[in-house]
Amino acid sequence: LHTLKLNYLQSFLDAYRDKKKFAMFWTQDLSHDFLNLIGVSDDDLEQFLLRNKQNLEEAIFIVISDHGHRYDSIRQTVWGRLN
């Protein structure tokens, strides 16, 4: 699902290449329930950023995080409960 969202964001950037724009890309599909799945998107996100280096040259790019995992076994640890 994250690649579908990245492709949509790519289409948006391509369609408005010479325009000022605002986009919010939020995906929690990989990390919301299971801790170890978030790394699946690393290579795809890296390739997206490298491919759009020029598109993002004058951009503010912010990465934020949501709360911790709701169902993963990490919730049984002190860190998991705090997060």
Side-chain angles (χ1 to χ4, degrees):
L1 192 54
H2 72 280
T3 54
L4 179 67
K5 293 176 182 180
L6 284 173
N7 290 340
Y8 184 82
L9 184 56
Q10 183 67 61
S11 296
F12 173 78
L13 291 174
D14 292 342
Y16 298 98
R17 186 171 303 277
D18 297 323
K19 306 277 187 200
K20 291 183 180 183
K21 54 198 152 291
F22 173 85
M24 182 173 158
F25 175 77
W26 179 16
T27 184
Q28 84 293 348
D29 307 318
L30 293 172
S31 65
H32 203 255
D33 296 332
F34 301 104
L35 175 65
N36 293 327
L37 286 181
I38 190 63
V40 171
S41 65
D42 288 353
D43 291 337
D44 296 324
L45 184 57
E46 178 187 24
Q47 290 305 311
F48 174 82
L49 293 172
L50 290 172
R51 188 172 55 249
N52 285 285
K53 188 174 181 179
Q54 187 174 356
N55 272 341
L56 300 172
E57 194 167 293
E58 294 186 28
I60 297 172
F61 192 87
I62 301 170
V63 177
I64 60 174
S65 177
D66 196 357
H67 60 80
H69 313 283
R70 298 182 342 178
Y71 302 113
D72 202 5
S73 60
I74 196 170
R75 294 284 291 167
Q76 305 303 316
T77 67
V78 172
W79 175 251
R81 287 190 298 276
L82 290 173
N83 197 355

